[in-house]
């Protein structure tokens, strides 16, 4: 296994309140290419993250091989590799594989005490091997991997519980529910990011890195282009507001998860290719365009999350 570039905790300490570290979900070779190429041109670290569905889709060894290859091809990329939304089994496998710098144990659907117990077990195993652990408290709505949570089951993270949770589990970062959701349909009506929750947690846990899931921007023009090329996405779909994102970074959000925006680019590039050139049947043409556009997206996203490099 190739030695990875940076420990996740080092990345967090450097970034806290200065810039948000974008964490990109990858499922295939084109995405890994695009993310690493973008990362090699920005000069800030990125996190490459893998969900259990991504591991299952490509097979863990295959995906790890692609990422290792990208690490050698794009030598300037500074990155760490993270397991996104693991259960106990996924986390233990990933910790033992030696490939991951960090894992997320997601027991947020359990009650508070059970979440602490499960998280604790993973933290002990991970810290034994110098691996960083992200845990989650509170429940986000939307679709993550193959799990769908309705809006009625979503609940905000309670700041006092967050403090107790971090002290009792010793987890290194905490994913919080503060109004974002997974998937393309993040905010309905006037709902948005609840910055008060983040600020209260920051006041109680100064310097402690928080993680924002479901933080894609879902650009309107992207949605409109997809629909113009035959898609049927809800046009009222809205992602996170950019100013809110910068406030979130200043309020302790250090890792920002991006998956939906990458899927929107994939969908738009392929839909437009098929509709504009129905006589063609070449995967290389849209594949190349997707990698190039993804690279640009990764660059712009990372740069947009920098408040100051000092
Ligand atoms: Zn998530």
């Amino acid at each position: 296994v190739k030695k990875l570039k940076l420990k996740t905790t080092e990345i967090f300490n450097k970034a806290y309140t200065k810039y948000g570290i974008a964490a990109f979900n990858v499922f295939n070779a084109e995405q890994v290419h695009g993310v690493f190429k973008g990362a090699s041109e920005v000069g800030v670290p990125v996190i490459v993250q893998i969900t259990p569905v991504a591991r299952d889709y490509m097979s863990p060894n295959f995906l790890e091989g692609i990422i290792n290859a990208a690490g050698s091809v794009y030598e300037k990329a500074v990155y760490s590799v993270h397991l996104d939304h693991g259960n106990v089994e996924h986390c233990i496998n990933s910790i033992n594989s030696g490939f991951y710098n960090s894992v997320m144990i997601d027991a947020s659907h359990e009650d508070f005490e059970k979440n602490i117990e499960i998280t604790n077990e993973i933290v002990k195993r991970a810290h034994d091997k110098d691996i960083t652990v992200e845990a989650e408290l509170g429940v986000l709505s939307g679709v993550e991997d193959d799990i769908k949570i309705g809006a009625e089951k979503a609940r905000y993270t309670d700041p006092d519980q967050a403090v107790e949770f971090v002290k009792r589990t010793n987890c290194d970062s905490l994913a919080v529910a503060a109004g974002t959701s997974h998937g393309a349909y993040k905010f309905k009506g006037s709902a948005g990011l609840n910055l008060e929750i983040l600020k209260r947690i920051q006041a109680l846990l100064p310097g402690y890195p928080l993680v924002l899931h479901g933080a894609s921007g879902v650009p309107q023009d992207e949605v409109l282009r997809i629909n113009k090329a035959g898609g049927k996405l809800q046009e009222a779909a809205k992602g996170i507001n950019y100013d809110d994102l910068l406030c979130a970074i200043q309020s302790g959000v250090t890792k920002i998860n991006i998956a939906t925006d990458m899927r929107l680019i994939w969908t738009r590039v392929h839909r437009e290719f098929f509709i504009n050139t129905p006589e063609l049947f070449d995967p290389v043409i849209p594949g190349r365009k997707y990698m190039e556009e993804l690279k640009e997206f990764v660059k712009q996203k990372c740069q947009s999350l920098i408040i100051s490099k000092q």
Side-chain angles (χ1 to χ4, degrees):
V1 175
K2 182 173 177 284
K3 183 94 185 90
L4 297 165
K5 304 282 161 122
L6 265 187
K7 274 183 68 178
T8 315
T9 40
E10 288 170 28
I11 299 182
F12 284 166
N13 289 339
K14 270 180 135 175
Y16 186 80
T17 68
K18 296 189 187 79
Y19 54 92
I21 301 153
F24 299 102
N25 280 88
V26 294
F27 294 82
N28 63 23
E30 282 83 357
Q31 289 184 316
V32 173
H33 244 294
V35 168
F36 272 81
K37 198 168 190 189
S40 68
E41 294 179 18
V42 284
V44 285
V46 302
I47 293 172
V48 180
Q49 59 184 18
I50 301 171
T51 63
V53 164
R55 278 165 64 85
D56 185 53
Y57 173 60
M58 280 276 111
S59 94
N61 287 349
F62 203 97
L63 202 51
E64 290 165 13
I66 295 171
I67 290 171
N68 275 338
S72 339
V73 170
Y74 299 107
E75 285 181 334
K76 284 191 183 149
V78 180
Y79 67 98
S80 73
V81 179
H82 176 72
L83 172 77
D84 191 24
H85 287 285
N87 62 20
V88 170
E89 194 191 338
H90 303 133
C91 285
I92 291 175
N93 286 342
S94 302
I95 290 165
N96 291 339
S97 78
F99 182 70
Y100 292 82
N101 301 85
S102 57
V103 295
M104 176 194 192
I105 174 69
D106 182 0
S108 60
H109 49 279
E110 303 282 357
D111 67 38
F112 186 64
E113 288 299 325
K114 188 77 185 165
N115 190 351
I116 288 180
E117 187 191 309
I118 292 171
T119 301
N120 231 323
E121 189 200 332
I122 297 303
V123 169
K124 286 197 187 97
R125 286 174 184 261
H127 284 183
D128 258 0
K129 299 200 170 179
D130 215 13
I131 291 168
T132 304
V133 178
E134 173 183 332
E136 178 166 331
L137 184 65
V139 179
L140 275 75
S141 68
V143 184
E144 173 73 32
D145 262 4
D146 38 13
I147 302 158
K148 189 172 190 300
I149 307 281
E152 69 288 350
K153 288 218 171 122
R155 64 171 191 273
Y156 283 156
T157 304
D158 176 276
D160 294 314
Q161 275 197 340
V163 178
E164 187 184 342
F165 186 88
V166 167
K167 290 197 168 138
R168 286 175 60 193
T169 62
N170 208 19
C171 60
D172 304 286
S173 65
L174 188 67
V176 293
T180 54
S181 58
H182 291 121
Y185 309 126
K186 299 192 184 303
F187 300 117
K188 291 216 176 85
S190 60
L193 192 62
N194 189 328
L195 291 164
E196 284 315 305
I197 290 180
L198 301 177
K199 285 179 186 153
R200 276 182 55 207
I201 297 174
Q202 186 182 38
L204 296 166
L205 290 170
Y208 189 83
L210 302 178
V211 180
L212 208 55
H213 283 237
S216 278
V218 192
Q220 254 323 275
D221 58 321
E222 203 70 288
V223 173
L224 294 176
R225 278 176 77 176
I226 288 169
N227 287 353
K228 215 178 148 206
K232 282 191 177 162
L233 299 183
Q234 279 178 35
E235 294 190 359
K238 250 195 329 186
I240 194 163
N241 167 292
Y242 178 61
D243 291 333
D244 281 357
L245 204 49
L246 292 187
C247 283
I249 293 166
Q250 285 166 318
S251 308
V253 167
T254 310
K255 173 172 174 272
I256 290 163
N257 287 8
I258 312 283
T260 296
D261 283 345
M262 298 165 73
R263 296 175 183 209
L264 292 176
I265 297 169
W266 182 89
T267 304
R268 191 250 305 153
V269 165
H270 288 84
R271 276 195 177 282
E272 289 184 346
F273 170 73
F274 290 124
I275 212 152
N276 294 337
T277 50
E279 71 283 8
L280 297 183
F281 54 98
D282 184 348
V284 168
I285 299 170
R288 210 190 283 286
K289 185 166 166 58
Y290 178 55
M291 290 193 282
E292 182 59 26
E293 293 220 11
L294 193 57
K295 177 205 83 175
E296 274 308 309
F297 168 76
V298 165
K299 260 173 85 173
Q300 281 173 22
K301 178 56 77 176
C302 291
Q303 275 157 356
S304 78
L305 299 178
I306 299 171
I307 295 171
S308 87
K309 274 193 178 176
Q310 297 302 307

